[in-house]
Amino acid sequence: MSRFSQPDPELGHRLSRRGMLGVAAGATAAALLGAAAPATAASGNTTAAPGGATPATASGTKGRGRPVLPPGRLGIQLYSLRDKVSTLGFGPVFAELERYGYDEVEFAGYTQGSAGPITLAQLKRLARDHGLNPIGSHVGYYSDDPNAYTFAQNLTKVLDDAQALGLKHIGTASGPFRYGSTVDAWKRAAEDFNTYGAAARARGMKFYQHNHSEEFSFATDNPKARLYDILLKETDPDLVHLEMDIYWAYVGQFRFSKRPDGTPAPFEPLHYVLRQPDRYPLFHVKDGESDPSNPYGYNMTDVGDGDIDYQRFISAVTRLRGHRMAHHWQAEHDNPAESFTFARRSSAHLHSLREKC
């Protein structure tokens, strides 16, 4: 079944992840580089990038040349493997990831329905025993439940757990919609994020927010203001970082390259990164086949089977001076047909990419 067969797939993704995080919580109680062409999906999206750049193709360069993927920087978001964790446990899953050449893991809860209880110390040791560096984790932003495991309700506990795991990054996949979709609502959410970022920084960690496509929509009280731009402007760059989900950013490009009144408002996701590369320590690498008949513009696929040009995107970021080893690339698929197959094939594809000479 297609991921987009449900009426609102993005909402379904948010709700399913939020529910899974809740269960886990209970259990744990330079301007743009002229030489860097924009990375974008082929075929279905013909919106020109700023400056008149045209969409790239997804050819990818394999064979000779320096690997596009920096050594030691390939991770995976464990949400993609939730079915395997719940049936096999973390140990066997980590063993497979080690075999597939992964270096890092990003958590989506610290139990994920794993068979049998597990402590944070055991989880950290399991990852390290298999050569995997726990790099980050997704936690809910807020809840109506005062006891919920979220930044808004239990910031100290969230940071305690992240510190116990040795995480360098702790973030949320929740959109900044807590107070609504107006300009002032997002300014209020930005204040929350600055608070969480300051608390994380005091413990040697970076707070981050992971986008879906709705972040690229427009404020309901100002159709000229893109919500994502408000978030960037109103958050302190030293305190609040971003994990760009590249797939959802291109979905956002497909959906929101026009304002509600129909006037053009094109944007290129890569340009956000090249303007402020220090704000993007983490990325989600997921792929999609272009499908203009789909309201989201794409059908999610295993990495390498879609139209997002990761050879071009990753190269443009890692070629920035001093940035080759500054970012972490997490493979993800929200609903893979077979999660181990997804993990293996995605790693193989990303390791095969080579920079163009």
Side-chain angles (χ1 to χ4, degrees), residues 181-185 187 216-230 233 259-261 263 265:
S181 299
T182 65
V183 172
D184 284 343
K187 287 182 178 180
F216 297 95
S217 63
F218 301 92
T220 53
D221 60 338
N222 183 354
K224 292 185 178 180
R226 194 181 299 280
L227 293 174
Y228 196 70
D229 295 338
I230 298 170
K233 181 180 179 181
R259 296 186 180 90
D261 64 1
T263 58

Side-chain angles (χ1 to χ4, degrees), residues 183-207:
V183 172
D184 284 343
W186 274 54
K187 287 182 178 180
R188 288 183 66 191
E191 291 177 5
D192 287 348
F193 284 9
N194 285 332
T195 298
Y196 309 151
R201 184 179 182 181
R203 300 196 188 207
M205 294 179 283
K206 292 180 179 180
F207 170 80

Side-chain angles (χ1 to χ4, degrees), residues 125-187:
R125 186 164 54 251
L126 265 179
R128 296 298 171 88
D129 286 349
H130 291 287
L132 298 169
N133 180 31
I135 193 64
S137 181
H138 285 185
V139 176
Y141 168 17
Y142 67 95
S143 171
D144 293 332
D145 178 359
N147 298 313
Y149 189 80
T150 66
F151 283 95
Q153 277 68 41
N154 274 293
L155 177 61
T156 298
K157 175 60 174 171
V158 167
L159 297 181
D160 284 347
D161 289 350
Q163 202 163 24
L165 280 165
L167 302 182
K168 297 299 184 184
H169 310 84
I170 181 69
T172 183
S174 302
F177 294 95
R178 180 181 186 180
Y179 308 107
S181 299
T182 65
V183 172
D184 284 343
W186 274 54
K187 287 182 178 180

Side-chain angles (χ1 to χ4, degrees), residues 38-54:
T40 187
S43 57
N45 188 351
T46 58
T47 301
T54 55

